[in-house]
Amino acid sequence: MDLFINKVSKATQVLISCSLVCFISALCYSMSKYLDYKIVAFILLLTVSIVAVLFDIIPVFITAILSALIWDYFFIPPHFTLQVGSTEDSILLLMYFVIALVNAALTYKIRQIEKIGRAKEEKANTVKLYDTLLNSLSHELRTPIATIIGATDNLQSNNHNLTDKNKEELITEISKASFRLNQQVENLLSMSRLESGFLQPKKDWCDIIEVVYDAVKRIEENNISQKITINVNPDIPFCKLDKAMMEQIIYNLVNNAVQYTKEDNRIDIIAHCHADVLELIVEDNGKGFPEDEISNVFNKFYRLRNTKTGGTGLGLSIVKGFTEALGGTVYLQNLKTGGARFTIHIPVQTSNLKNIKNE
Amino acid sequence: MNKAEILIIDDEAQIRKLLEITLQSNNYTVNQADNAKNGLITAENHPPDMIILDLGLPDDDGQSVLKKLREWYTNPVLILSVKNNEEDIISALDNGANDYLVKPFRTGELLARIRSALRNSAVEEGDTTITCGEISIDLEARTIKKNNESIKLTATEYRLLSLLAKNEGKVLTHQYLLREVWGPGYINQSQYLRVFIAQLRKKIETDANRPEYIITESGIGYRFISKEE
């Protein structure tokens, strides 16, 4: 009902409510043989109440005044004059008027209270979102920082108690922590680029095979244990795309699969292009996603329930942001055979120059 | 041992310290400047064999320092910057940088880039063969061999490969390659470049999908590298 108010302009509201009152009055007038004029007052009051529920305060006041005048002019004897015959009728008319106005005022007040309640609820939700964000961010940033500080402290002040093996392990931890920190910062920077709204894809001809392999190469540098297979037809045409963004999309999807599947799972990357639409599929044979959470996984900072710690919940929202910046869509489904499949469609300009004459 | 002298122009003391230790332990002599003005004065008073330049300096933009250096300085300049967008990198290369490395960087990668930049500046005009790992290019006979086996290249493929190999280790931008190999009218025809790079890779790489010689610099260009000795 609130939506109805917001959508319809005040003038239209006045028009609708006045027409309604006139229509009801005409109806009552045609049946005035059977209806006492006092009953008509109740019917009109009911109409004003309905209008009060639907519309803003000003249309309601206008309706209230109009209905009072109509009632007086057409129904209270003597008819067709604004004069009122008896004292009793004067009191009735006054009461009618007051009730109609109070009705309007009360409804308005209730609506204001509702509005405040909603604003409070919205604010609470925002605060909750920021809490989640701060929690996951501070965890994600502080853990590697704590590791680095702790390990270097150890190396500096406890050096003589450490075996060479200890030292080597501490240095490895520092290195791992720095890379993790770097990854988080990259994610945050990508996200803020997306949020700023200034992200302009720099489109140029891309060899999709190269884009896929470059993304996979970066992932394989992390010594992963899952098997990644790449299935791209060598004859796939060149596509006009922002290579860095496309590579990041593939990297994030595959990296997500790597994080949340087991060591012996496999991850397949499939790409093809027809009718100037590039289709990219990244699927795995892991556990898949809980069905009721699929619609949330692309939300910023969303983490699956009962998931392991780590990760800021930014990877997939960056996938969605970049895909949409390229004019495409991303879609997630669970496979019947188990596992999850991400499908991306991006409209692209293609070039079959691959078959260029080689001179 | 080579005792090449390297000048570091960077305002961050931590980065200068890291570079100093890394370079000195690899037998380079290190000089430092913490702003553009000092950097330019040091370079002029005592021209180094190579300069490592940061783009975000407190008193001047690194790109303009690079332009001022390039008015007279011909040895390699390597840009080391946190800026990682393609425009900054391309304009640094256009302004005469030999190479560009984004912070954070791996020191192994930095050392490899320094080695190849210094090696390149030592290549004489008169050299007639280039050898990179298993690949050797005879510039006079215009032939290519991999593990002593001849590889047949078309004329365009040869022009492209020899240009890349002559600049081993250096990023060559798309525009530069298109202009040099195809001509000024082709600088926006990047798909030509993609086609010929793909064909070259099929001919010289062990696995064309995992290239070891012709490396893509996304959105910027290509770099030919010789496998580390």
Side-chain angles (χ1 to χ4, degrees):
Chain A
M1 258 176 242
D2 221 46
L3 281 176
F4 192 59
I5 289 178
N6 293 336
K7 270 185 200 154
V8 181
S9 76
K10 289 241 165 72
T12 323
Q13 290 183 22
V14 172
L15 196 73
I16 295 177
S17 45
C18 290
S19 327
L20 186 66
V21 167
C22 293
F23 174 71
I24 300 284
S25 310
L27 212 65
C28 293
Y29 190 75
S30 68
M31 297 192 288
S32 52
K33 271 188 200 157
Y34 315 104
L35 290 175
D36 186 74
Y37 71 94
K38 286 170 191 162
I39 300 290
V40 173
F42 280 106
I43 294 175
L44 286 176
L45 263 184
L46 180 67
T47 314
V48 175
S49 306
I50 291 170
V51 169
V53 173
L54 290 176
F55 293 141
D56 249 350
I57 186 147
I58 294 167
V60 175
F61 272 128
I62 293 174
T63 320
I65 295 166
L66 179 72
S67 66
L69 291 176
I70 290 176
W71 186 49
D72 182 7
Y73 192 80
F74 291 98
F75 296 96
I76 301 179
H79 292 177
F80 308 114
T81 157
L82 288 176
Q83 279 175 354
V84 179
S86 66
T87 322
E88 191 193 344
D89 285 347
S90 302
I91 295 170
L92 265 181
L93 179 62
L94 186 68
M95 275 169 62
Y96 176 91
F97 201 61
V98 171
I99 292 173
L101 292 188
V102 167
N103 210 335
L106 276 182
T107 319
Y108 178 72
K109 213 167 181 183
I110 291 172
R111 207 171 280 145
Q112 288 302 94
I113 292 170
E114 270 178 0
K115 216 187 229 170
I116 293 168
R118 247 195 316 276
K120 264 189 192 156
E121 199 181 315
E122 258 167 43
K123 202 174 157 218
N125 280 341
T126 318
V127 169
K128 211 169 131 198
L129 179 72
Y130 273 94
D131 277 352
T132 322
L133 151 67
L134 280 179
N135 276 338
S136 93
L137 255 192
S138 56
H139 176 267
E140 273 314 298
L141 297 177
R142 280 189 177 137
T143 309
I145 293 172
T147 311
I148 294 170
I149 293 176
T152 46
D153 274 351
N154 242 320
L155 288 166
Q156 276 174 333
S157 53
N158 192 24
N159 205 359
H160 53 279
N161 289 330
L162 297 170
T163 63
D164 280 353
K165 186 161 175 278
N166 290 153
K167 287 179 197 168
E168 215 167 277
E169 283 167 344
L170 285 175
I171 290 169
T172 309
E173 286 312 312
I174 295 174
S175 163
K176 273 196 216 159
S178 326
F179 279 97
R180 186 167 161 194
L181 203 52
N182 190 38
Q183 173 84 44
Q184 299 306 346
V185 172
E186 288 300 324
N187 274 341
L188 285 171
L189 288 176
S190 295
M191 203 66 231
S192 65
R193 273 210 304 158
L194 268 171
E195 299 266 291
S196 73
F198 291 121
L199 189 64
Q200 274 299 328
K202 288 182 276 290
K203 294 189 180 175
D204 195 1
W205 294 109
C206 285
D207 187 341
I208 298 299
I209 299 177
E210 189 184 33
V211 182
V212 172
Y213 274 92
D214 282 355
V216 170
K217 188 178 157 203
R218 270 168 61 206
I219 290 182
E220 287 176 341
E221 279 167 6
N222 305 335
N223 293 323
I224 60 159
S225 44
Q226 291 91 338
K227 177 152 176 49
I228 299 178
T229 61
I230 297 171
N231 187 345
V232 187
N233 187 332
D235 290 330
I236 191 168
F238 289 139
C239 296
K240 217 164 198 185
L241 276 172
D242 184 310
K243 180 179 183 257
M245 282 168 79
M246 197 62 217
E247 193 180 314
Q248 196 60 40
I249 290 171
I250 300 170
Y251 179 89
N252 284 13
L253 286 178
V254 178
N255 193 41
N256 194 73
V258 168
Q259 301 297 319
Y260 297 104
T261 55
K262 298 224 177 62
E263 295 183 354
D264 54 350
N265 281 126
R266 90 192 139 67
I267 299 161
D268 296 332
I269 307 171
I270 304 148
H272 37 86
C273 192
H274 39 90
D276 283 355
V277 173
L278 172 70
E279 181 177 75
L280 173 88
I281 294 171
V282 175
E283 62 180 44
D284 61 63
N285 63 349
K287 294 199 308 284
F289 286 79
E291 283 290 340
D292 61 329
E293 289 191 84
I294 282 185
S295 57
N296 289 326
V297 297
F298 294 109
N299 292 349
K300 228 185 325 170
F301 305 115
Y302 187 81
R303 314 279 331 276
L304 292 184
R305 291 189 297 268
N306 312 322
T307 193
K308 62 175 183 179
T309 55
T312 42
L314 280 176
L316 292 180
S317 62
I318 290 170
V319 167
K320 183 163 190 266
F322 278 10
T323 306
E324 286 172 358
L326 292 171
T329 52
V330 56
Y331 169 72
L332 164 65
Q333 73 198 110
N334 280 328
L335 297 171
K336 287 202 182 83
T337 49
R341 172 190 283 165
F342 286 91
T343 310
I344 284 182
H345 288 124
I346 299 176
V348 284
Q349 207 183 323
T350 57
S351 158
N352 273 311
L353 206 78
K354 267 193 164 172
N355 313 316
I356 193 174
K357 198 168 152 268
N358 188 356
E359 69 266 347
Chain B
M1 253 354 257
N2 80 64
K3 268 263 181 187
E5 216 172 293
I6 298 177
L7 170 63
I8 302 162
I9 308 177
D10 197 311
D11 61 325
E12 287 290 344
Q14 282 195 311
I15 296 285
R16 289 203 307 277
K17 186 47 127 183
L18 171 69
L19 291 177
E20 187 188 359
I21 294 172
T22 310
L23 296 179
Q24 280 177 351
S25 61
N26 281 278
N27 293 316
Y28 294 105
T29 309
V30 176
N31 251 321
Q32 303 182 21
D34 62 357
N35 61 37
K37 191 168 151 248
N38 290 341
L40 286 166
I41 292 171
T42 315
E44 205 154 343
N45 288 343
H46 192 79
D49 296 305
M50 179 171 182
I51 293 175
I52 297 178
L53 175 66
D54 179 22
L55 287 185
L57 295 168
D59 54 337
D60 196 359
D61 176 41
Q63 302 274 10
S64 97
V65 176
L66 180 58
K67 281 190 218 160
K68 284 175 197 158
L69 277 172
R70 276 303 179 223
E71 285 166 13
W72 62 275
Y73 183 77
T74 52
N75 284 341
V77 177
L78 184 145
I79 304 292
L80 194 59
S81 169
V82 289
K83 295 186 181 170
N84 65 349
N85 67 69
E86 292 150 14
E87 286 90 355
D88 283 319
I89 299 177
I90 290 172
S91 58
L93 295 171
D94 286 345
N95 287 334
N98 292 62
D99 206 345
Y100 196 111
L101 200 55
V102 175
K103 295 172 187 166
F105 56 91
R106 311 301 304 263
T107 50
E109 181 72 20
L110 174 73
L111 290 168
R113 304 279 186 101
I114 291 173
R115 274 196 298 274
S116 86
L118 288 170
R119 189 162 49 221
N120 246 324
S121 68
V123 171
E124 294 297 321
E125 280 297 307
D127 282 358
T128 55
T129 55
I130 302 170
T131 310
C132 294
E134 305 158 317
I135 293 174
S136 70
I137 304 172
D138 186 330
L139 295 174
E140 259 180 1
R142 298 170 74 85
T143 54
I144 313 265
K145 280 180 180 168
K146 185 180 179 187
N147 288 329
N148 283 323
E149 272 178 54
S150 263
I151 295 176
K152 267 184 92 76
L153 296 186
T154 65
T156 311
E157 286 168 358
Y158 175 81
R159 277 206 299 279
L160 182 58
L161 180 64
S162 57
L163 183 60
L164 283 163
K166 273 183 210 162
N167 293 284
E168 183 248 307
K170 187 175 171 187
V171 191
L172 302 181
T173 62
H174 295 144
Q175 295 216 338
Y176 176 82
L177 288 168
L178 285 161
R179 192 173 57 233
E180 296 295 313
V181 176
W182 282 271
Y186 287 81
I187 54 169
N188 291 319
Q189 303 294 322
S190 64
Q191 66 273 47
Y192 282 83
L193 192 53
R194 303 270 184 282
V195 174
F196 280 85
I197 291 285
Q199 283 165 359
L200 267 181
R201 279 177 175 159
K202 274 180 202 144
K203 292 187 181 180
I204 67 166
E205 302 281 2
T206 313
D207 177 353
N209 290 325
R210 298 171 192 273
E212 294 171 300
Y213 288 106
I214 303 174
I215 304 300
T216 304
E217 296 289 334
S218 291
I220 298 159
Y222 294 94
R223 169 206 306 278
F224 189 86
I225 55 170
S226 76
K227 284 192 253 178
E228 280 302 311
E229 54 276 358

